[in-house]
Protein backbone atom coordinates (compact mmCIF):
# COMPACT_ATOMS: atom_id res chain seq x y z
CA UNK A 1 0.00 0.00 0.00
CA UNK A 2 2.80 2.42 0.91
CA UNK A 3 4.70 1.39 -2.15
CA UNK A 4 1.84 2.32 -4.48
CA UNK A 5 1.52 5.72 -2.78
CA UNK A 6 5.21 6.41 -3.27
CA UNK A 7 4.98 5.42 -6.92
CA UNK A 8 2.01 7.79 -7.47
CA UNK A 9 3.77 10.67 -5.69
CA UNK A 10 6.96 10.00 -7.65
CA UNK A 11 5.09 9.92 -10.95
CA UNK A 12 3.34 13.19 -10.11
CA UNK A 13 6.68 14.77 -9.23
CA UNK A 14 8.25 13.63 -12.49
CA UNK A 15 5.25 14.89 -14.49
CA UNK A 16 5.45 18.28 -12.76
CA UNK A 17 9.16 18.62 -13.46
CA UNK A 18 8.74 17.70 -17.11
CA UNK A 19 5.88 20.16 -17.55
CA UNK A 20 8.32 23.04 -16.90
CA UNK A 21 10.49 21.94 -19.83
CA UNK A 22 7.73 22.52 -22.36
CA UNK A 23 7.53 26.31 -22.09
CA UNK A 24 7.68 28.12 -25.41
CA UNK A 25 10.22 30.93 -25.90
CA UNK A 26 8.78 34.43 -25.52
CA UNK A 27 9.89 36.52 -28.48
CA UNK A 28 8.70 39.80 -29.92
CA UNK A 29 7.32 39.27 -33.41
CA UNK A 30 7.92 42.90 -34.42
CA UNK A 31 11.57 42.87 -33.40
CA UNK A 32 13.35 45.21 -31.00
CA UNK A 33 11.54 48.46 -30.32
CA UNK A 34 13.80 51.35 -29.36
CA UNK A 35 12.51 54.14 -27.15
CA UNK A 36 12.67 57.77 -28.14
CA UNK A 37 15.10 60.13 -26.45
CA UNK A 38 13.65 61.56 -23.22
CA UNK A 39 13.83 65.19 -24.32
CA UNK A 40 11.57 64.48 -27.31
CA UNK A 41 8.59 65.08 -25.02
CA UNK A 42 5.12 63.63 -24.93
CA UNK A 43 3.87 65.27 -28.11
CA UNK A 44 4.85 67.46 -31.03
CA UNK A 45 3.28 70.74 -29.86
CA UNK A 46 5.37 73.25 -27.94
CA UNK A 47 4.04 74.19 -24.50
CA UNK A 48 1.21 71.68 -24.72
CA UNK A 49 0.26 72.52 -21.15
CA UNK A 50 0.16 68.98 -19.85
CA UNK A 51 1.07 68.16 -16.28
CA UNK A 52 4.05 66.20 -17.57
CA UNK A 53 5.90 69.13 -19.14
CA UNK A 54 7.59 72.08 -17.47
CA UNK A 55 6.40 75.56 -18.45
CA UNK A 56 8.30 77.24 -21.31
CA UNK A 57 10.00 74.00 -22.29
CA UNK A 58 10.35 73.33 -26.03
CA UNK A 59 10.03 69.87 -27.51
CA UNK A 60 13.45 68.48 -28.42
CA UNK A 61 15.48 70.96 -26.32
CA UNK A 62 18.16 68.68 -24.86
CA UNK A 63 20.05 71.34 -22.88
CA UNK A 64 16.87 72.60 -21.18
CA UNK A 65 15.95 69.01 -20.34
CA UNK A 66 19.34 68.35 -18.75
CA UNK A 67 19.21 71.64 -16.83
CA UNK A 68 15.75 70.76 -15.47
CA UNK A 69 17.03 67.38 -14.25
CA UNK A 70 20.01 69.05 -12.61
CA UNK A 71 17.72 71.56 -10.86
CA UNK A 72 15.37 68.84 -9.66
CA UNK A 73 18.28 66.86 -8.26
CA UNK A 74 19.66 69.83 -6.34
CA UNK A 75 16.30 71.05 -5.01
CA UNK A 76 14.45 67.82 -4.44
CA UNK A 77 16.99 65.14 -3.65
CA UNK A 78 19.78 66.97 -1.86
CA UNK A 79 19.09 66.60 1.87
CA UNK A 80 21.62 69.28 2.76
CA UNK A 81 19.71 71.86 0.72
CA UNK A 82 16.39 70.71 2.18
CA UNK A 83 17.51 71.08 5.79
CA UNK A 84 19.36 74.42 5.45
Amino acid sequence: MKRQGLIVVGAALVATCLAGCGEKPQTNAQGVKHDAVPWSGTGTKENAGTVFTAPDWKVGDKTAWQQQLKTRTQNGQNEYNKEN
Side-chain angles (χ1 to χ4, degrees), residues 1-64:
M1 190 72 169
K2 285 185 178 183
R3 190 174 204 186
Q4 288 177 343
L6 286 175
I7 290 173
V8 170
V9 170
L13 183 63
V14 169
T16 303
C17 290
L18 288 176
C21 296
E23 187 175 350
K24 296 179 182 177
Q26 299 174 0
T27 57
N28 185 1
Q30 291 83 23
V32 177
K33 181 178 178 183
H34 297 285
D35 290 336
V37 293
W39 52 86
S40 66
T42 58
T44 56
K45 295 181 183 177
E46 292 184 9
N47 297 327
T50 66
V51 295
F52 303 110
T53 56
D56 299 327
W57 177 73
K58 295 179 181 159
V59 174
D61 190 357
K62 180 179 179 181
T63 55

